[in-house]
Amino acid sequence: MTVPPEGLPLAAEFPDASREQWRRLVEGVLSKSGTQAAPGSPAEDALASTLQDGLRARPLYTAEDAPAPAAAGYPGFPPFVRGGRPQGPAVAGWEVRQYHADPDPARAAEAVLADLEHGGGSVWLALGPAGLPVPALPTALRDVYLDLAAVVLDAGEQTKAAAERFFELLTERAVPNAAASGNLGADPLGLLARTGSAGDGADAGTDATTARLAEAAELAARCHRDYPGLRALTVDALAYHDAGASPAQELGAALATGVAYLRELTAAGLSVDAAAGQLEFRFAATEDQFLTIAKFRAARRLWARVAEVSGVSPEAAAQRQHAVTSSVMMTARDPWVNMLRTTVATLAAGVGGADAVTVLPFDSALGLPDTFARRIACNTQAILLEESHLGRVIDPAGGSWYVEQLTEELAQAAWSWFQEIERAGGLRAALDSGLVGGTIAATWAERSARIAKRREPVTGVSEFPNLGEQPLVREPAPAPPGGGLPRVRRAQAFEALRDRSDAHLAATGSRPKLFLAALGPAAVHTARATFAANLFQAGGIETVLAAGTEPAALAAEFTASGATTACLCSSDTLYAELGEAVAGALKAAGAGTVLLAGRPGEQREAYQRAGVDGFVSAGGDAVAVLTSLLDQIGVAR
């Protein structure tokens, strides 16, 4: 064996392949599978995936797809795509920031201390009606060295009172002004989005927002003057994400909020650099790894552009980012899977360059997390930082042709939405007019339709549900602010069906049942029987399977099962041979509803005449089918 000389590429003796050659190979594979690209489109378009905001992920990217290398710049320099800090996370990683909303001061203090002892670097406290009473702030922070750990407040309508109590606490503890760090959490426009307003124009909600903006400006001036390590305002884009916004809509709304705060703070007398330094941006990190990476990179680029045109110096133009694992992706059913979701989301936030990361405990959709859930949340970050060494390389996704192109496309989509908000008079006017709420509602409706059709699967809920799981019970968490934009979760429609099934089980002693009539041998019926069982169990319907080819025998099995509905499962060939006879036998045996798994094609009318009431197949509206089926079985809503 001859060893190639040093520096010689290992593929030097192989001829270069072209994109056209690859396309021809793709066309050959697609033709064998019966898949074709649209006329006039490249073959790989048939393999492309549609994302939100009109974006598409292609199956292959090359250097010709990526933006110019200069567009990304270097970490710590405009446009900050590759990171807001020159050193990135390479020196100390990102800040591990855990969230606490327990209204009991003593328990909150214990949880805060435990998180800090297990790797936490800062504390994020919900105060007021949504969490800890403001007067109890000293108790919750009794074991915290306020000169070492940053404290982030989230007090909503009680922001000013919470900030004043925190200032008093710093004085009581004799913490040097220069040593205090964190964020007071003032976010008047985010609160307006969460709580809404009573009408339009000079209504009570708008008047309150005006007063809160003035209070936020006062807090910012005080922090800038007396507490150099403390920020006053949070640009919390979670209000939009939690309502179902797309990534571009989340970014665009955050950008509009940041611009509004810059205007407010500079009008109150702060320099534009000082105003920019008072802002921290909060974004959701989701289970979509690449889209989350691109979102944090695009966010920095977008803010760098705003800072540039606003006259912010490069030294003050970097966006401070706080990532929070998405509550929209969390499930109440099979919550253990949430550990996997939050791990992927945390990885993506870290790779994307977030400065601080919060991992929501896996049971957060059920209420207040327990000690184990909080510990797992902390350990998720510890493993990624200390064992997987994600912080060792700055912007490890940088240079990926896919990530660079996705970052660019997402930034362009977000900028378009930001411009639409600005044309409407700014975020405040866009919220009051319903532009923001209506646009996000339309986006969520489209996504909900994909979820209902299981084109966006939710593992453990819409796919691979576990009807035998023992539900976790948690103490209810304080209700978050409401009245404005809604809070949604991907799993909510399917979990509502499971709730109906649970109630039926509690009332009758058994779950709603469906009989699967599997025609022919296992090799023939398994694929569709598995599909059908997965589908019906996602709605809380227990399936009873029996295989055979004799209509009378299958009808007898149906009667013995105790089910009142049935579904035929087999191949198209056996459907043509046995489907009509078996459907008729099941109807004669008392089946109120008979379904067939698959697309009937030209046999639809014949099957319907034989007693088939409907057809279920991949891509159908599972939520609609399951809702109707539970109604027919007699399960109460």
Side-chain angles (χ1 to χ4, degrees), residues 174-494:
V175 177
N177 286 12
S181 62
N183 194 307
L184 301 180
D187 186 18
L189 294 181
L191 184 62
L192 178 63
R194 292 282 197 193
T195 61
S197 50
D200 55 14
D203 61 15
T206 303
D207 287 344
T209 300
T210 300
R212 291 179 186 127
L213 285 166
E215 291 173 355
E218 292 174 3
L219 291 174
R222 185 172 180 181
C223 287
H224 175 67
R225 183 183 65 247
D226 300 332
Y227 298 94
L230 197 58
R231 297 173 189 246
L233 285 89
T234 298
V235 178
D236 191 353
L238 298 186
Y240 311 99
H241 172 80
D242 291 351
S246 68
Q249 289 166 350
E250 181 185 349
L251 291 178
L255 207 60
T257 304
V259 167
Y261 290 165
L262 279 185
R263 291 170 177 152
E264 191 73 25
L265 297 186
T266 53
L270 270 71
S271 70
V272 68
D273 276 18
Q278 287 300 307
L279 307 183
E280 180 177 62
F281 289 73
R282 183 176 293 149
F283 299 107
T286 75
E287 76 292 343
D288 191 321
Q289 173 180 305
F290 290 108
L291 203 51
T292 296
I293 293 171
K295 181 164 70 175
F296 282 88
R297 300 174 90 248
R300 291 192 295 273
R301 182 191 169 188
L302 290 165
W303 186 245
R305 177 58 179 158
V306 167
E308 179 186 14
V309 299
S310 300
V312 180
S313 68
E315 293 75 19
Q319 184 183 74
R320 167 78 178 176
Q321 294 181 327
H322 174 201
V324 183
T325 57
S326 167
S327 64
V328 176
M329 73 178 179
M330 302 294 269
T331 65
R333 300 286 177 166
D334 207 355
W336 316 102
V337 183
N338 291 330
M339 297 185 202
L340 306 178
R341 296 186 180 99
T342 55
T343 299
V344 172
T346 304
L347 181 149
V351 170
D355 300 291
V357 179
T358 296
V359 177
L360 296 183
F362 72 87
D363 56 356
S364 60
L366 297 165
L368 292 173
D370 67 3
T371 302
F372 173 72
R374 287 196 309 272
R375 184 178 176 85
I376 291 295
C378 278
N379 285 349
T380 298
Q381 302 208 54
I383 289 173
L384 292 174
L385 282 168
E386 305 299 335
E387 297 187 29
S388 298
H389 309 298
L390 279 189
R392 286 187 175 178
V393 177
I394 304 170
D395 189 30
S400 160
W401 295 318
Y402 173 43
V403 171
E404 296 292 0
Q405 183 65 14
L406 187 59
T407 299
E408 173 68 17
E409 292 175 353
L410 183 56
Q412 294 292 341
W415 188 262
S416 295
W417 173 234
F418 163 65
Q419 289 179 313
E420 185 175 349
I421 293 173
E422 287 295 288
R423 284 193 297 269
L427 183 64
R428 189 170 168 186
L431 284 168
D432 284 340
S433 70
L435 171 64
V436 172
T439 303
I440 292 176
T443 297
W444 177 245
E446 292 178 5
R447 188 178 182 190
S448 295
R450 294 197 304 274
I451 294 169
K453 294 178 180 179
R454 302 198 299 172
R455 296 192 183 279
E456 181 179 333
V458 183
T459 304
V461 180
S462 68
E463 297 284 353
F464 313 114
N466 177 14
L467 288 188
E469 71 172 294
Q470 295 299 312
L472 294 182
V473 178
R474 295 289 184 265
E475 180 180 337
L485 297 178
R487 292 176 182 263
V488 300
R489 288 189 301 111
R490 292 191 308 159
Q492 62 191 29
F494 285 96

